[in-house]
Amino acid sequence: MAVILGIDPGSRIAGYGVILSDGFEISHIDHGVIRFSEKKSLPERLFDMRRALDQLIKQYQPTEIVVEGMFLGKNPQSAFVLGHVRGVCLERGVAHGLGIFEYAARTIKKSLTGNGNAAKDQVRSMVLHYLNVSTELPLDATDALAVALTHGRHVSRTTEARI
Amino acid sequence: MAVILGIDPGSRIAGYGVILSDGFEISHIDHGVIRFSEKKSLPERLFDMRRALDQLIKQYQPTEIVVEGMFLGKNPQSAFVLGHVRGVCLERGVAHGLGIFEYAARTIKKSLTGNGNAAKDQVRSMVLHYLNVSTELPLDATDALAVALTHGRHVSRTTEARI
């Protein structure tokens, strides 16, 4: 069994989702968002992110951490800033001895809906469906659960996603 | 007096330089490079970087950490990867209670040579001159000393470079 921590990195809000999976049976453990004060500098937000990650890892004892693969796309400046947040996530993964995986947005959409170009609403519906979560999910937590779920559904055969 | 740790972040080699400055008198303390094994993944390199930073900060007890400001320029993909390394550096700066500063490459060149478009050789000559270092400086350490020196020469009036 794997406890999977999915992270949706952000410099204003980051989402997290925790699920339990054996590759077939999957269950929801928790999800939430980490909000960074707008008054804080990027270094301070990175520090808050690191502390939040340490706390989540301590609380849920995940065996694997999964982040969305990032591509520069249309907004390289914002991807560059997110790279900083991702850096902290990946470093913490190694520091805590977790397996570290990433999936491209397209792979996540395809895995959950069958369509690599699916709209956010479709992805969200499938996250709610697979995890049997009926509460109002914040968007960033949905994305974090989506990446965790993508990994959880393939947990027995995902060495190619290891980074 | 400020002990300034300059970092030239890299995903294959990172440079560091440590200087002592009161804004007028500046002296060289140490410099070096951190090499990451090519066999290691990005997360593993980030982990090695974090440990190296913790070690340097423990050893030299800097009061300020300075990194080169990055702009996406011609190679956004490589800047994106460097963003990860910078993220770890900035987080460590906050974790250790250091002042954190950045200077654009152009500002560094202008500060040291009077010319914002100076060639690397000119910057290197001025680093050797100001710090009275005559040993063969590795390129990455030169860049790290250059950013530390830029800050050191303006240490009394650099709140605008604080990030």
Side-chain angles (χ1 to χ4, degrees):
Chain A
M1 288 299 270
V3 176
I4 300 167
L5 172 60
I7 298 287
D8 178 40
S11 59
R12 284 182 291 189
I13 299 179
Y16 67 89
V18 189
I19 65 173
L20 184 68
S21 170
D22 64 2
F24 302 98
E25 297 283 334
I26 295 180
S27 56
H28 171 265
I29 296 178
D30 197 11
H31 65 261
V33 296
I34 304 153
R35 283 175 209 280
F36 305 110
S37 163
E38 288 186 14
K39 292 175 187 165
K40 291 196 172 178
S41 66
L42 177 60
E44 288 167 334
R45 292 173 193 209
L46 296 170
F47 176 71
D48 288 350
M49 182 74 197
R50 201 264 303 158
R51 288 212 297 191
L53 279 169
D54 284 347
Q55 178 57 39
L56 286 169
I57 292 167
K58 185 178 172 189
Q59 185 173 355
Y60 296 108
Q61 302 277 317
T63 46
E64 291 161 15
I65 185 169
V66 196
V67 294
E68 190 172 313
M70 294 241 3
F71 299 93
L72 299 180
K74 289 175 188 164
N75 196 338
Q77 185 61 44
S78 113
F80 175 58
V81 173
L82 285 186
H84 291 63
V85 185
R86 267 175 59 96
V88 169
C89 296
L90 301 180
E91 193 282 323
R92 283 295 93 185
V94 177
H96 289 283
L98 312 184
I100 305 172
F101 300 85
E102 66 177 8
Y103 296 88
R106 194 181 159 79
T107 305
I108 296 166
K109 289 175 181 173
K110 174 107 179 156
S111 161
L112 299 186
T113 71
N115 172 8
N117 296 312
K120 279 196 174 287
D121 274 358
Q122 290 174 274
V123 174
R124 179 185 167 80
S125 297
M126 295 313 288
V127 168
L128 296 175
H129 167 71
Y130 282 122
L131 295 179
N132 213 8
V133 178
S134 59
T135 55
E136 277 300 308
L137 268 180
L139 184 62
D140 302 271
T142 308
D143 288 345
L145 284 171
V147 69
L149 193 52
T150 299
H151 183 63
R153 297 181 68 218
H154 302 87
V155 76
S156 53
R157 51 189 170 88
T158 47
T159 50
E160 77 275 12
R162 189 182 287 272
I163 52 173
Chain B
M1 289 297 272
V3 176
I4 302 166
L5 172 61
I7 297 287
D8 178 41
S11 61
R12 284 182 291 189
I13 299 178
Y16 67 89
V18 189
I19 65 173
L20 184 68
S21 171
D22 63 4
F24 301 97
E25 296 282 332
I26 295 180
S27 57
H28 170 266
I29 296 178
D30 197 11
H31 65 262
V33 296
I34 304 154
R35 283 174 206 283
F36 305 110
S37 163
E38 288 185 15
K39 291 175 187 164
K40 291 196 171 177
S41 67
L42 177 61
E44 288 169 331
R45 293 174 193 207
L46 296 170
F47 177 70
D48 289 350
M49 183 74 197
R50 200 265 301 158
R51 288 213 297 189
L53 279 169
D54 283 347
Q55 177 58 39
L56 285 170
I57 292 167
K58 184 177 173 190
Q59 184 172 354
Y60 296 108
Q61 303 278 316
T63 46
E64 292 162 14
I65 186 170
V66 196
V67 294
E68 191 172 312
M70 294 241 3
F71 299 93
L72 298 179
K74 290 176 184 163
N75 196 338
Q77 185 60 45
S78 116
F80 175 58
V81 173
L82 284 187
H84 291 63
V85 184
R86 268 174 58 97
V88 169
C89 296
L90 302 181
E91 193 283 321
R92 281 296 92 186
V94 177
H96 290 282
L98 312 185
I100 305 172
F101 300 85
E102 66 177 8
Y103 295 88
R106 196 182 157 78
T107 305
I108 297 167
K109 288 175 183 174
K110 174 106 178 154
S111 161
L112 299 186
T113 71
N115 172 9
N117 295 312
K120 278 195 174 286
D121 274 359
Q122 290 174 273
V123 174
R124 179 185 168 77
S125 297
M126 295 312 289
V127 169
L128 296 176
H129 167 71
Y130 282 121
L131 294 179
N132 212 7
V133 179
S134 58
T135 54
E136 276 300 307
L137 269 179
L139 185 62
D140 301 272
T142 307
D143 288 346
L145 284 172
V147 68
L149 193 52
T150 299
H151 183 63
R153 296 181 69 217
H154 303 85
V155 76
S156 54
R157 51 189 171 88
T158 47
T159 49
E160 77 275 15
R162 189 182 287 272
I163 52 173

